[in-house]
Amino acid sequence: MTTAPLDDALQIRHAGADLLSLALIDARNHTLRWLAAFDGAAATEPALATADDGASPRWLAGHSGWYQEYWISRHVQRQRGALCDPAATRLASIDGQADALFGPGSLRAAGALTDFDLHAYLEHTVETTLDLLATAASSDDGLYFYRLALLHEDRMGEALAELAAAWQLAPAGARPSPWLPPPTRPARDALWLPAQSLRMGATPGGLVPDNQSGALDVAVPEFEIDALAVSWARFVEFTDDGGYDRHECWSEAGWAWLQTEGRRAPRHVEQLRGGVLLMRQGQLQRVAGGQPVLHVSRYEAEAWCRWAGRRLPTEPEWEIAARAGAARGFVWGDVFEWVAGSARGWPGHRSATGTLDALPAPASQGVLRGASWLTRPRRRDSGARRFAPPARDTMFCGFRSCAL
């Protein structure tokens, strides 16, 4: 089946003005659908009112407009792309409050945006972006910030989805929604893949996210890897065997996190024994055992692996399986997946202006690969990487394992 250009990760990476225009409109409409869900909801639980970094839904949506304005309509060197001077003089914003509300160091809480006409700002910024795109140079430099702005807004949409899962909300008519669950899949045997070489990193050309730039050639010995992300049925075996009480299953950092959090199950889980119950849309819902375990920290993923006598895959192993294993039953894209190792760049990495994945990242950051069932199709790239603290469990994240 042919993938539509709007949903094709490779075509979007190299998108010209016409395809970018359609994608930017699609992304902004997606943002507005999420925003409508939050605007119509009463935030009754302050602890759930913001994302991990303290950002409110209105700030996340507004930052999409500000990012476009800051790097495109206000940036006089935008035509130079990644080689521009990020400190070059900028034009004034259409709203004198915008930098204070959405720029570096801004207040991200909902109360800071009470009197701000967010919908008008979002409408104006995307219209200006599209007007400028119509006359932009068709080179990678000329289209750099437009492609980056699209990636940014798709990321903000995913952050809104994560926050909606915490609030138990969904945009009207949105498909999929946070409580349209990941697919339920029948169990499959693990795959054994032969020793081979792999070049990590994206091929130059088009938009290359910062954490995919550069290249690393790796020789990978043969390995066995799960065909599917670990399911709830497999994870419950760990909890039934006292996994959250067994110090020997946890790293020292993981055990310290567990004691601090008092965690007895993954986030949003209300019951594990006798069937998994999750809180969705304000109601308890029974989860099929064949769905992937969701909202787990890397500490929990590592603990399950130690208990099972297995390990997390390395980045090269995961990518080899994602590229070559589809015909043999390897499935990815249901959840972001924790892998072994820490955040790092590939040799030859070059930081780009305005990047969303700045390197070097803190050594404490872990790595996730793949995508979730809520990731826009155009962001489903087997080479994509995300960095997050090991304790982060608000993302739609799970894991799979390899044989020792």
Side-chain angles (χ1 to χ4, degrees):
M1 187 172 73
T2 303
T3 302
L6 199 63
D7 292 336
D8 188 285
L10 184 60
Q11 290 198 56
I12 285 296
R13 183 182 149 192
H14 295 270
D18 290 345
L19 181 55
L20 273 174
S21 179
L22 292 174
L24 286 163
I25 292 170
D26 173 70
R28 183 55 51 89
N29 287 337
H30 191 68
T31 297
L32 291 171
R33 285 194 294 271
W34 280 119
L35 191 58
F38 286 105
D39 283 351
T44 57
E45 297 188 56
L48 300 180
T50 62
D52 281 351
D53 60 0
S56 70
R58 285 172 59 80
W59 189 92
L60 290 169
H63 196 263
S64 294
W66 178 87
Y67 188 91
Q68 288 188 18
E69 186 188 32
Y70 187 78
W71 287 109
I72 298 175
S73 63
R74 296 172 57 190
H75 190 28
V76 297
Q77 291 191 15
R78 62 180 175 274
Q79 72 281 358
R80 297 187 60 193
L83 300 178
C84 75
D85 177 5
T89 301
R90 279 180 166 78
L91 303 177
S93 170
I94 60 167
D95 191 296
Q97 305 177 80
D99 285 342
L101 292 174
F102 304 112
S106 57
L107 295 175
R108 301 183 174 200
L113 295 168
T114 302
D115 299 322
F116 185 75
D117 192 342
L118 181 58
H119 287 82
Y121 183 70
L122 291 173
E123 179 180 358
H124 188 101
T125 50
V126 75
E127 287 179 352
T128 304
T129 295
L130 296 174
D131 287 344
L132 293 171
L133 175 59
T135 59
S138 59
S139 63
D140 281 347
D141 285 338
L143 296 174
Y144 172 78
F145 283 112
Y146 300 93
R147 292 168 177 165
L148 197 59
L150 175 62
L151 174 60
H152 179 273
E153 186 138 8
D154 284 341
R155 290 273 187 90
M156 290 295 101
E158 217 157 358
L160 285 165
E162 293 169 13
L163 198 48
W167 277 35
Q168 302 298 319
L169 299 173
R175 296 184 176 89
S177 77
W179 48 81
L180 180 63
T184 300
R185 302 189 185 277
R188 298 182 182 182
D189 292 336
L191 306 179
W192 193 269
L193 295 171
Q196 54 194 288
S197 297
L198 174 71
R199 168 158 284 201
M200 309 285 288
T203 304
L207 178 67
V208 178
D210 204 55
N211 62 14
Q212 289 178 252
S213 70
L216 176 66
D217 293 313
V218 187
V220 182
E222 61 181 358
F223 63 98
E224 182 206 87
I225 188 169
D226 292 335
L228 303 173
V230 169
S231 67
W232 282 110
R234 296 177 72 191
F235 194 82
V236 166
E237 294 175 356
F238 163 72
T239 60
D240 283 350
D241 196 35
Y244 279 88
D245 296 313
R246 295 173 60 173
H247 194 165
E248 70 272 16
C249 293
W250 298 78
S251 66
E252 287 306 312
W255 186 253
W257 169 83
L258 187 64
Q259 303 313 301
T260 299
E261 294 291 318
R263 189 64 60 85
R264 309 299 301 165
R267 181 179 287 270
H268 303 313
V269 172
E270 296 292 326
Q271 174 183 299
L272 284 171
R273 289 185 178 275
V276 179
L277 296 181
L278 294 182
M279 182 63 71
R280 285 181 173 149
Q281 203 172 359
Q283 298 179 343
L284 286 176
Q285 295 187 12
R286 189 171 297 277
V287 177
Q291 289 177 19
V293 64
L294 189 62
H295 290 305
V296 290
S297 68
R298 195 169 88 166
Y299 296 134
E300 290 165 296
E302 291 170 336
W304 184 94
C305 287
R306 287 190 181 91
W307 168 83
R310 296 177 69 80
R311 61 177 175 82
L312 292 177
T314 65
E315 287 199 70
E317 288 170 338
W318 191 96
E319 191 166 331
I320 285 172
R323 291 185 185 183
R328 298 175 53 192
F330 186 90
V331 176
W332 66 274
D334 291 346
V335 290
F336 285 103
E337 299 179 31
W338 291 108
V339 294
S342 300
R344 58 173 176 150
W346 306 136
H349 156 266
R350 185 182 68 181
S351 291
T353 304
T355 183
L356 309 183
D357 303 295
L359 287 167
S364 59
Q365 297 273 297
V367 184
L368 300 109
R369 299 300 297 261
S372 82
W373 85 105
L374 285 171
T375 301
R376 307 306 300 274
R378 56 178 167 260
R379 299 303 169 200
R380 293 174 177 270
D381 174 8
S382 61
R385 313 167 74 205
R386 299 289 290 274
F387 299 154
R392 176 98 179 260
D393 59 7
T394 53
M395 296 176 68
F396 300 116
C397 48
F399 66 100
R400 74 181 73 217
S401 68
C402 284
L404 293 174

